[in-house]
Amino acid sequence: MIVTLIVLCEVGFWVLLAVGLGLRYVARKPRAGAAVLLCEPLLEVVLLVVTAVDLRNGGQPDWKHGLAAVYIGFTVGLGPSTIAWVDARIAHRFAGGPPPVRPPKYGRDRAVHEWRVAARWILASAVALVLLQAAVWYVGPHGDTGSLRMWQQRMLWLTGINLVIAASYTLFPKRRPGPEPEREPEPAPERAGERGPGRPGGR
């Protein structure tokens, strides 16, 4: 049931996003579109409540409960940036908005961009870790929390990977390719019988 609800929440996320942006830019009803987009967090609330009720009614904690916590965390951490990404492209396509800004490629700007991306993933992992720990405490010391602990380890690994990626762009920034250095012209080959001045045999 929980897996089915997660799938429905994901489908509902994109349906609400499409309806909200459609109302904003196609139907020219920005307030109605904003109201629909504000309904997005309700999906995560429903999933959280159903997961908690399932555990409360004696459901054995397993990977499905951990997946629900991870899904909620990723929606909190990555959902706003996903909505902004889609919104910028719909606005450019249907409302004459400016073209979407591409992320920088080189130097300090690229490092700052990577840290911002890492912050979103770390926030997602942190929210998932908190929910997973709450589930562990809820189950208690006598319950089987191995699957929940497994998801926590994965979130810690994900946090570490994002920190390493962002730090690599800071310590080893990607440099903008510069113009190739000009090559010195090669000396013209001497014709037969010619010798340069000062060479042995010259007159």
Side-chain angles (χ1 to χ4, degrees):
M1 174 182 177
I2 293 179
V3 175
T4 302
L5 185 58
I6 292 174
V7 174
L8 292 176
C9 285
E10 180 67 11
V11 173
F13 174 87
W14 291 104
V15 170
L16 289 177
L17 181 59
V19 172
L21 295 179
L23 288 172
R24 176 181 292 182
Y25 296 113
V26 179
R28 307 297 182 184
K29 297 180 179 180
R31 292 184 178 179
V36 172
L37 293 177
L38 287 176
C39 294
E40 295 275 13
L42 295 178
L43 299 174
E44 284 65 56
V45 172
V46 171
L47 179 59
L48 180 61
V49 170
V50 171
T51 304
V53 169
D54 185 64
L55 289 173
R56 186 177 182 83
N57 291 337
Q60 186 67 21
D62 55 16
W63 65 272
K64 296 188 292 294
H65 300 90
L67 180 62
V70 171
Y71 177 81
I72 294 172
F74 279 19
T75 303
V76 172
L78 305 177
S81 60
T82 302
I83 293 175
W85 186 89
V86 177
D87 181 74
R89 282 149 181 80
I90 296 297
H92 175 62
R93 177 66 178 83
F94 295 102
V101 179
R102 294 185 178 182
K105 294 183 178 180
Y106 309 106
R108 181 178 179 275
D109 292 339
R110 177 60 185 269
V112 172
H113 170 75
E114 291 297 332
W115 278 109
R116 288 174 178 171
V117 173
R120 298 188 192 108
W121 284 93
I122 292 172
L123 174 61
S125 301
V127 172
L129 282 168
V130 170
L131 293 176
L132 289 166
Q133 187 60 42
V136 169
W137 288 336
Y138 186 80
V139 172
H142 303 294
D144 183 9
T145 59
S147 60
L148 302 176
R149 295 294 188 187
M150 177 193 67
W151 279 110
Q152 285 183 318
Q153 292 176 0
R154 292 178 178 177
M155 294 302 99
L156 291 174
W157 272 104
L158 184 61
T159 298
I161 290 172
N162 278 277
L163 287 174
V164 169
I165 293 175
S168 68
Y169 279 93
T170 302
L171 299 175
F172 309 101
K174 189 175 181 181
R175 301 186 182 278
R176 186 183 302 275
E180 296 184 0
E182 296 182 359
R183 296 182 179 179
E184 296 183 0
E186 298 181 0
E190 296 181 359
R191 288 178 293 182
E194 289 186 349
R195 294 185 177 89
R199 293 189 180 183
R203 296 180 180 175

